[in-house]
């Protein structure tokens, strides 16, 4: 049984044995500079028209030059900007990659995502993580070494307050008794564990609705996905839990340019990209979203070519 049968974006994006494509916000080739955030609405609308099934947003508070990139995500607050683009598009899925649970109170997260889902039903993917930006932890006075424990507690509190009426909750972040979250989500929202979240694989195979992991070669990804899916089968026999990954892409103008590794992805021509994506599909990847940050070409040009020449090979499910 599909617990997300009423979630429109989920059913356009995820099906066992299939691969669909999305994009990482910002839709811009800013490399190691701060993104300008220009034309994001127009490019998000273009991506939707061309058949991409999702847009993904990062949860970053502070610019930290020591992190190795501008570490500002889309600059704007993730939830607010996601909601803004939701209002400018019609059906494309909107995902957090990922909501850092130890840095956000679970009741606030629940209120935000339930509100988003009521306003834009069936469009939100909730990627969740334990976080890795020490500057954000220090600024909020949250223990970085204890983030794994905080993640688990926040996850369980979030699930209870979203999907139970008048739950009884006693946790380090607060207590609820005789009160209820309103609104509740219009439909169940997929919770996709991102990375390992300081947990063992068996934990998120049991508790998560899917898994999102970092870019690796198709062979290495296949080994990891098979191990995870065997654990999913152990805890939830017969259940399908999708696997997603990002990939940095520098799409070459020559469609036959052979692949060359770059940071977290490839410089590659589109014909070889189609072959590569088929390899990821065979390895068990269900959704792959491109980050155009390291591209040498304008984002609009790349999105147009991908939409016309690559997305038709990996179309939305419905």
């Amino acid at each position: 049984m599909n617990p997300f049968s009423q979630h429109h974006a989920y059913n356009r994006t995820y099906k066992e044995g299939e691969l669909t494509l999305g994009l990482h916000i910002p839709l811009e080739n800013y490399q190691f500079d701060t993104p300008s955030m220009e034309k994001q609405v127009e490019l998000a609308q273009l991506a939707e028209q061309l058949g991409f099934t999702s847009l993904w947003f990062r949860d970053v508070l502070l610019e930290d030059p020591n992190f190795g990139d501008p570490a500002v995500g889309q600059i704007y607050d993730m939830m607010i900007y996601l909601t803004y683009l939701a209002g400018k598009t019609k059906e494309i899925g909107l995902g957090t990659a990922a909501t850092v649970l130890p840095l956000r109170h679970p009741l606030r997260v629940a209120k935000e995502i339930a509100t988003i889902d009521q306003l834009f039903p069936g469009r939100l993917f909730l990627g969740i993580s334990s976080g890795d930006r020490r500057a954000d932890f220090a600024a909020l006075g949250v223990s970085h070494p204890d983030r794994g424990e905080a993640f688990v507690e926040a996850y369980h509190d979030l699930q209870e307050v979203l999907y139970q009426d008048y739950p009884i909750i006693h946790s380090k972040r607060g207590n609820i008794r005789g009160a209820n979250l309103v609104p509740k989500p219009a439909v169940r929202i997929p919770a996709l564990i991102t990375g390992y979240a300081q947990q063992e694989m068996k934990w998120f195979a049991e508790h998560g609705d899917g898994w999102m992991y970092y870019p690796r070669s198709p062979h290495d990804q296949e080994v990891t996905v098979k191990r995870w899916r065997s654990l999913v089968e152990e805890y939830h026999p017969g259940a399908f839990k999708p696997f997603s990954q990002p990939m940095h892409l520098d799409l070459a103008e020559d469609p036959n340019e052979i692949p060359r590794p770059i940071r977290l992805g490839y410089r590659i021509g589109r014909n070889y990209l189609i072959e590569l994506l088929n390899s990821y599909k065979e390895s068990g990847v269900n959704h792959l979203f491109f980050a155009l940050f390291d591209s040498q070409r304008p984002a609009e040009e790349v999105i147009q070519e991908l939409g016309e020449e690559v997305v038709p090979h990996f179309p939305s499910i419905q």
Side-chain angles (χ1 to χ4, degrees), residues 59-62 100-105 133-143 173:
D59 192 9
V60 181
L61 281 176
L62 301 174
V100 182
L101 288 188
L103 298 183
R104 290 177 175 259
H105 196 288
R133 289 174 167 81
R134 291 179 180 270
D136 287 2
F137 279 81
L140 291 174
V142 177
S143 170
R173 305 294 291 274

Side-chain angles (χ1 to χ4, degrees), residues 139-161:
L140 291 174
V142 177
S143 170
H144 188 265
D146 295 330
R147 67 195 187 280
E149 179 184 348
F151 173 87
V152 170
E153 183 175 64
Y155 174 83
H156 289 305
D157 289 351
L158 182 63
Q159 295 297 307
E160 289 188 39
V161 78

Side-chain angles (χ1 to χ4, degrees), residues 155-175:
Y155 174 83
H156 289 305
D157 289 351
L158 182 63
Q159 295 297 307
E160 289 188 39
V161 78
L162 279 173
Y163 304 117
Q164 292 185 25
D165 289 324
Y166 294 94
I168 297 175
I169 297 175
H170 299 286
S171 74
K172 294 178 181 178
R173 305 294 291 274
N175 303 308

